[in-house]
Amino acid sequence: MPHRILLGTVAIEPHRWRADLPPLIRASAWAGRARQAGFDGLELWQRHFTEADPAEQAVLAAQPEPLEIFNAYPSFEDTPEAAATRERIAAAIRTTRARAVKFNLGTKPALRADYLRTFAAWAATLPPDITLLNECHGGDIADKPAAARALHDELALPNLAVIVHAFSTDEAELRAWFDTFGPAVRHVHVQHRHPDGLWRRLDADPARNAARARLLRELGFTGTLTTEFSDGVAWGRPNPAREENPEALFAAATADLAFLRQHLA
């Protein structure tokens, strides 16, 4: 069975790191194009739903198939403001009928107990069959295999799984994720940072990235993948004179899709 590969709508959003600017794209306009290009669905960036107008939200909620992944950014700090935001995000997840939700626990080790308590309470408000995808991102309290294992053991939730960054993580650490979590590594965020510091298409370094795809097969990975960042993505606050082009970003994501189809088969 081929891997299910998703288009991350964050990949084609020029304002992904500009909280001061509204999102530029309407995710619903890209859902059909993504399918035609060969993607199996979308990983919907939170702001493409929560900051969309009611008409766009209705279109996203009425898609023929449930959303594959809702890419959420709730804070699990124990504050009234964070609790209200978590409620709004949970409502959006239920509305889109998402099969899975991506989340990060938090970056402050001193708040570990708060994060776990509030995450468990929030997860209990989601559909019981949803997959909870912990993005073990650098800087998060779950950013290393042993730390993540301890957190997951403490939470003891049957639908809890792990996201890794297989094409940017060091090979030894990638093996450690699989040694620690095995089939609970359920999803890969695909992004390749070139030595020049910029994101590049996977075929910019074909030998390296084909080897990484082979390693995923060797490690027994059977989960899903999302093309997250690729050629044309600018880090941080982009220069307004060099506005990113969603069409070019989509073309790069589609090239990464073709590379993955070829080398994961």
Side-chain angles (χ1 to χ4, degrees):
M1 175 77 85
H3 291 273
R4 294 180 65 77
I5 303 175
L6 314 177
L7 172 67
T9 63
V10 70
I12 57 174
E13 174 52 64
H15 292 168
R16 71 185 69 75
W17 290 302
R18 295 293 301 267
D20 57 320
L21 295 176
L24 278 184
I25 74 159
R26 294 174 72 86
S28 66
W30 293 86
R33 290 187 61 183
R35 289 278 186 186
Q36 290 171 0
F39 289 99
D40 294 300
L42 299 181
E43 179 174 328
L44 182 68
W45 186 52
Q46 176 183 306
R47 291 179 60 200
H48 283 151
F49 188 88
T50 57
E51 295 184 25
D53 59 50
E56 169 70 353
Q57 290 184 349
V59 172
L60 290 170
Q63 293 293 306
E65 294 292 324
L67 177 67
E68 292 286 339
I69 299 176
F70 192 101
N71 184 333
Y73 292 86
S75 165
F76 296 110
E77 295 194 18
D78 190 9
T79 68
E81 296 79 11
T85 299
R86 287 194 297 272
E87 248 181 69
R88 287 194 295 273
I89 294 170
I93 291 166
R94 291 190 294 268
T95 298
T96 56
R97 301 166 291 144
R99 293 188 170 105
V101 56
K102 163 260 162 188
F103 69 93
N104 309 92
L105 280 167
T107 61
K108 301 174 183 175
L111 296 181
R112 183 184 190 278
D114 282 352
Y115 292 157
L116 293 187
R117 183 177 62 254
T118 54
F119 169 75
W122 180 74
T125 71
L126 302 178
D129 58 345
I130 196 168
T131 300
L132 305 169
L133 292 171
N134 184 186
E135 183 185 33
C136 297
H137 202 287
D140 191 87
I141 63 168
D143 66 354
K144 297 297 180 187
R149 180 75 272 167
L151 291 162
H152 284 220
D153 288 347
E154 191 168 338
L155 287 165
L157 296 172
N159 50 343
L160 190 56
V162 167
I163 298 174
V164 296
H165 298 79
F167 292 86
S168 53
T169 300
D170 173 82
E171 182 178 323
E173 185 169 310
L174 181 60
R175 288 183 180 275
W177 282 109
F178 281 87
D179 289 344
T180 304
F181 281 95
V185 179
R186 295 276 298 278
H187 191 65
V188 169
H189 275 166
V190 178
Q191 50 167 285
H192 169 52
R193 290 290 286 274
H194 199 264
D196 63 10
L198 300 176
W199 280 282
R200 298 294 189 195
R201 287 169 34 161
L202 295 175
D203 60 10
D205 196 344
R208 174 198 181 276
N209 291 318
R212 196 55 61 89
R214 286 195 300 274
L215 178 58
L216 282 174
R217 297 202 313 271
E218 174 193 322
L219 294 169
F221 178 66
T222 59
T224 53
L225 304 95
T226 291
T227 57
E228 187 179 33
F229 301 135
S230 190
D231 202 72
V233 171
W235 173 251
R237 294 174 65 90
N239 183 338
R242 187 188 166 277
E243 185 70 85
E244 293 177 11
N245 182 326
E247 290 288 349
L249 295 170
F250 182 69
T254 302
D256 284 348
L257 168 69
F259 188 95
L260 293 168
R261 292 285 188 221
Q262 178 184 355
H263 294 286
L264 285 173

